[in-house]
Amino acid sequence: VGMSERRRWSDRALCTAFRASKPMLKLVRAVMPKVKEEEKWKPPEKMEKRKPTSQAEWEASLDTLAANKSMWSKKEDQEKAILLQTCMNNIVQVMEEAAAIGHRAKGQYEMGLAEEMFAWVTCILFAKETIQFLLEGDNCLHGVTSRQVGNQVVCTVLPTGLDCMLYAEYRGEVWLEPGQPPTVGQKAKAVQEREELALILGAGNQIPVIFGDVIHKLFVESSVAMLKFSPVNCYNGTVLEKVFEPLLNLGILKFAYGGSDVGEALVGHKKVDAIHLTGSEDTFNAIVWGGTPDE
């Protein structure tokens, strides 16, 4: 049995075992010490705002990113995987600090610190799967099962591996275009040739959203990127500066802080080739339609 087949059966076994363990988990939950009601909820703390990035600073950052577009798009996948592995190792080093910061910013609610810790575990899983994609290409399809529906291939992509612990009751499928085989990487490779500078408007209130946006643009699409934080979540910047240190030092990722004025200036800048948005419908409409109600 090949490695991919062994991993596939391992994933199935893990999902089956987790489903079988649900009655035991209910029993454990029943006998666990109860948290006092007054300890369950604590209001969020007022976090210190980051100083807005000046125009001179973000202009210089855009110049650096633009100068490195070609270099990054041509870098070998193995080298990219090493950089991302370093970022993943950095997460382990700062996870406890990062979770504590998130806990303070959002307040105590039910799981509290544990939920913030698990959010960073999700980031590690994102990084791990992206590294597999970079190193293995089509071979990273291990754990993915498929079936034929007419002339379409339907791939079951979730849950696999550790995802079974969260999504044992769910199933995620990708329905490929009619007549297309289940392969990975061709379209991503075509995208990588664009030499793109992307602006990431990162207003996500969960760290995996921000982390996933950066990882996708840099390592799946091979763009260089400017990450503009929302004033609401800018407290994440201190930790992400440590996590993404090798990417920041290489000049393929830069951060910007501030309000809508900074965001608006970056959106309209001639050096920005693409925009990746996590934010409100109003923000989307303002970017696409210029905020004109008739449009």
Side-chain angles (χ1 to χ4, degrees), residues 280-295:
S280 68
E281 180 183 3
D282 291 340
T283 302
F284 172 83
N285 288 334
I287 293 171
V288 176
W289 306 110
T292 305
D294 291 341
E295 289 187 295

Side-chain angles (χ1 to χ4, degrees), residues 14-225:
L14 182 57
C15 288
T16 302
F18 184 75
R19 290 190 184 100
S21 69
K22 289 185 71 177
M24 180 59 70
L25 291 174
K26 289 182 180 179
L27 176 61
V28 171
R29 193 177 294 116
V31 299
M32 284 177 64
K34 301 294 183 182
V35 179
K36 294 180 181 178
E37 193 64 34
E38 61 270 19
E39 295 178 356
K40 280 187 178 181
W41 311 103
K42 291 182 181 178
E45 294 183 23
K46 186 175 181 179
M47 306 299 288
E48 184 179 352
K49 299 291 185 183
R50 294 292 297 253
K51 178 184 176 183
T53 306
S54 69
Q55 181 174 350
E57 290 172 323
W58 58 253
E59 287 275 13
S61 293
L62 289 178
D63 288 342
T64 299
L65 292 170
N68 289 328
K69 287 194 297 186
S70 180
M71 173 274 292
W72 180 242
S73 69
K74 292 178 172 61
K75 189 172 285 292
E76 294 293 328
D77 286 345
Q78 289 80 2
E79 296 180 75
K80 293 179 180 178
I82 292 171
L83 285 166
L84 186 50
Q85 178 70 54
T86 302
C87 295
M88 190 168 72
N89 295 342
N90 289 346
I91 292 176
V92 177
Q93 299 300 319
V94 304
M95 188 187 300
E96 189 171 344
E97 173 194 355
I101 292 173
H103 188 221
R104 287 170 49 215
K106 297 174 185 176
Q108 170 77 16
Y109 54 99
E110 292 293 342
M111 293 173 62
L113 188 60
E115 184 168 346
E116 292 298 321
M117 289 283 283
F118 194 81
W120 284 95
V121 173
T122 304
C123 295
I124 291 175
L125 295 178
F126 285 172
K128 175 178 174 292
E129 292 188 0
T130 306
I131 290 170
Q132 287 177 333
F133 164 72
L134 291 169
L135 296 179
E136 300 178 21
D138 284 355
N139 294 326
C140 75
L141 283 168
H142 56 73
V144 175
T145 59
S146 63
R147 70 183 192 277
Q148 196 80 24
V149 179
N151 66 339
Q152 279 184 283
V153 175
V154 180
C155 297
T156 302
V157 297
L158 185 146
T160 63
L162 292 175
D163 286 342
C164 295
M165 298 181 68
L166 289 176
Y167 307 116
E169 303 269 324
Y170 297 85
R171 184 175 69 184
E173 295 180 339
V174 174
W175 289 59
L176 305 187
E177 295 178 4
Q180 294 298 314
T183 59
V184 173
Q186 285 88 345
K187 289 187 177 180
K189 290 296 182 184
V191 169
Q192 289 174 0
E193 297 173 0
R194 295 189 306 203
E195 297 184 6
E196 181 180 85
L197 194 166
L199 170 64
I200 301 173
L201 297 175
N205 64 347
Q206 295 294 334
I207 197 64
V209 177
I210 303 173
F211 184 88
D213 287 350
V214 171
I215 292 303
H216 184 85
K217 295 305 290 187
L218 266 69
F219 293 94
V220 177
E221 298 188 3
S222 283
S223 303
V224 297

Side-chain angles (χ1 to χ4, degrees), residues 201-206 210 228-230 233 277-280:
L201 297 175
N205 64 347
Q206 295 294 334
I210 303 173
K228 161 62 174 64
F229 287 91
S230 162
N233 65 11
L277 167 68
T278 298
S280 68

Side-chain angles (χ1 to χ4, degrees), residues 83 86-87 90 241-252:
L83 285 166
T86 302
C87 295
N90 289 346
E241 285 169 2
K242 298 175 183 177
V243 170
F244 289 132
E245 182 180 14
L247 310 182
L248 293 165
N249 291 343
L250 190 59
I252 57 172

